[in-house]
Amino acid sequence: MAGMPRSVYYYQASALSKADRHLEAKAQIHQIFHRHQGRYGYRRVHLALRNEQHYLDPKTVQRLMGQLGLKSTVRPKRYQSYRGAVGKTAPNLLQRNFAANKPN
């Protein structure tokens, strides 16, 4: 009726009945994330988990945080190349007028 192979149906039925093997890790990730007011991304959460002797791959932590809907509120700073007036301006000893009367 659904138009899918029989094996796919039974695979999904068995997959849904299995217990979540990362349930404890999800609880710890949620706790660490909210302990730091949502400022930690997956890299820092991974390090905090490692400090608590809970070893997971960083990509697993990233995937679990995505499933939990946890996203860091801190964005990286963008590169800004403009520095303003750098160095000293030479004094106008000749009293020259640098203003243009007309273009070109």
Side-chain angles (χ1 to χ4, degrees), residues 84-92:
V86 178
K88 298 179 194 174
T89 305
N92 189 7

Side-chain angles (χ1 to χ4, degrees), residues 26-66:
K26 284 181 181 179
Q28 279 188 315
I29 289 171
H30 196 270
Q31 179 185 6
I32 290 168
F33 185 81
H34 290 295
R35 186 184 326 145
H36 297 283
Q37 285 89 30
R39 294 187 188 108
Y40 274 18
Y42 79 93
R43 292 180 180 98
R44 291 177 80 180
V45 170
H46 170 253
L47 292 175
L49 282 172
R50 209 170 68 185
N51 290 338
E52 295 177 5
Q53 276 69 38
H54 198 95
Y55 300 102
L56 284 176
D57 188 67
K59 290 184 180 181
T60 304
V61 175
Q62 185 180 22
R63 180 174 48 82
L64 294 176
M65 285 181 70

Side-chain angles (χ1 to χ4, degrees), residues 80-101:
Q80 294 179 345
S81 64
Y82 180 71
R83 294 185 186 173
V86 178
K88 298 179 194 174
T89 305
N92 189 7
L93 297 177
L94 301 176
Q95 300 300 317
R96 293 182 63 185
N97 181 12
F98 293 105
N101 296 332

